Amino acid sequence: VIGRAVTGNVLAVDVGGTKLAVGLVSPDGEIVTSATVPTSPTGLGRDEELWTTLVRLIDEVCSAEQPAAVGIGCGGPMRWPEGEVSPVNLLAWQSFPLRARIQQRFDRIPVRLINDGIAMAIGEHWRGAGAGSGAFLGIVVSTGVGGGLLLDGKVVTGRSGHAGHIGHLVVDPQGPLCGCGGRGCLEAIARGPALVQWAIDNGWNAPPAADGKALLAAAECGDPVAAAAFERAGAALGVAIASAVHLVELDTVAVGGGLAGAGEHLLGPARRAFIEHARMRFAADCVIVPAALGADAGLIGAAALVARGDRYWTTQGAD
Ligand SMILES: [Zn+2]
């Protein structure tokens, strides 16, 4: 237990399926220095190679300064709070003891790990679009759809560290299959690759290796299928947000992640669907805003796990 806030810079680590980011973050949440590399290798059985990639990055960032503590955000699922991770978008690590490995390298300082969606939400609550919110949901719309929840200003982790998984709220029971094995989850409709595939299936004349960026460019040029893909994903997002708001009376929802770069192409339909489905005053008052920290939210949130003492950390209720 840390209890009080630490005084020195902390090491923040953000592990995702496409990139690894590492940074030193000041006690007030400024990124002092950071470095990013593509996540590689990612394949099954390459666990030690991927670990070596991460260690190189950590050594680079910590070459001039030893951190006061370490905070880590990583894709789930995971064993939490132990920090043994099996990220669904990173086959190289299956039950990989990430927290323990990093603890071995940084003897005698606190090392904490949390789901990356929760880390993003904490970052936005500490320094971004959720500042001051009493009931906040941060959503990441990217290769997947993740999120994290703070109620009464406190992080909601759930008993196994997986609370806030808004990507698997069901928005269409007859909808497409989801990577989780279910059907009609928000993620199955609104994740970047799903938008691109839907657009292609509906006649979008896609460039080679088209991604969300290419789809956005097409939508901005007035391509009706590309625009409809964002409309459909945004509407699903708005339905999911409306459901979440009714359940826990959110006051603020911030939407970030790569696809949030689409701005009003995504948020416009999300707000319209939200208004359609959030009819009671207490729900309708919730505001949906763009996330403020961009790609830094994960690092800043990971840092907050240790830089802010126990402000953004609890293991109460954990298995
Ligand atoms: Zn799902």
Side-chain angles (χ1 to χ4, degrees):
V1 171
I2 299 176
R4 287 182 303 164
V6 299
T7 50
N9 292 334
V10 303
L11 176 65
V13 178
D14 185 11
V15 176
T18 56
K19 70 175 173 66
L20 305 176
V22 173
L24 282 174
V25 178
S26 75
D28 59 356
E30 299 286 347
I31 295 180
V32 177
T33 178
S34 67
T36 301
V37 295
T39 305
S40 175
T42 56
L44 204 59
R46 319 267 316 255
D47 50 344
E48 294 302 328
E49 291 170 74
L50 179 59
W51 168 245
T52 302
T53 306
L54 180 60
V55 166
R56 271 197 217 107
L57 199 62
I58 289 173
D59 287 349
E60 182 188 327
V61 165
C62 295
S63 60
E65 180 184 344
Q66 283 300 298
V70 186
I72 309 158
C74 183
M78 62 180 59
R79 281 188 62 226
W80 178 86
E82 295 87 344
E84 198 179 281
V85 301
S86 311
V88 72
N89 55 4
L90 193 47
L91 287 176
W93 283 349
Q94 299 297 311
S95 301
F96 187 80
L98 180 59
R99 199 205 65 81
R101 286 294 191 88
I102 290 181
Q103 182 77 74
Q104 280 168 12
R105 293 192 75 82
F106 294 98
D107 211 10
R108 286 192 285 272
I109 62 172
V111 179
R112 290 172 169 174
L113 184 150
I114 211 160
N115 187 279
D116 57 357
I118 299 179
M120 174 271 185
I122 292 173
E124 289 289 338
H125 190 268
W126 184 20
R127 297 280 318 210
S133 168
F136 176 66
L137 173 66
I139 305 179
V140 184
V141 187
S142 180
T143 312
V145 178
L149 196 58
L150 287 97
L151 298 179
D152 301 325
K154 296 192 187 73
V155 181
V156 179
T157 47
R159 69 186 158 76
S160 75
H162 298 96
H165 261 65
I166 187 154
H168 302 279
L169 256 65
V170 176
V171 295
D172 179 1
Q174 273 80 50
L177 285 171
C178 181
C180 73
R183 184 179 283 282
C185 300
L186 171 62
E187 178 168 294
I189 294 170
R191 67 191 288 261
L195 261 77
V196 171
Q197 192 57 52
W198 183 89
I200 291 170
D201 292 347
N202 284 274
W204 178 41
N205 190 10
D211 59 4
K213 278 202 180 93
L215 188 67
L216 176 60
E220 283 177 338
C221 289
D223 184 296
V225 178
F230 281 101
E231 176 77 31
R232 176 172 175 268
L237 188 60
V239 168
I241 291 171
S243 300
V245 169
H246 284 101
L247 192 65
V248 291
E249 207 171 345
L250 300 167
D251 60 56
T252 310
V253 176
V255 182
L259 224 63
E264 288 305 305
H265 288 284
L266 188 72
L267 286 189
R271 288 201 190 91
R272 287 194 291 278
F274 174 75
I275 290 165
E276 182 77 16
H277 293 281
R279 297 298 183 120
M280 285 182 279
R281 176 68 185 272
F282 81 89
D285 280 349
C286 177
V287 293
I288 302 173
V289 297
L293 301 178
D296 291 341
L299 277 186
I300 292 173
L305 296 178
V306 288
R308 302 284 288 137
D310 291 338
R311 171 69 183 81
Y312 289 114
W313 181 257
T314 177
T315 55
Q316 277 179 11
D319 275 342

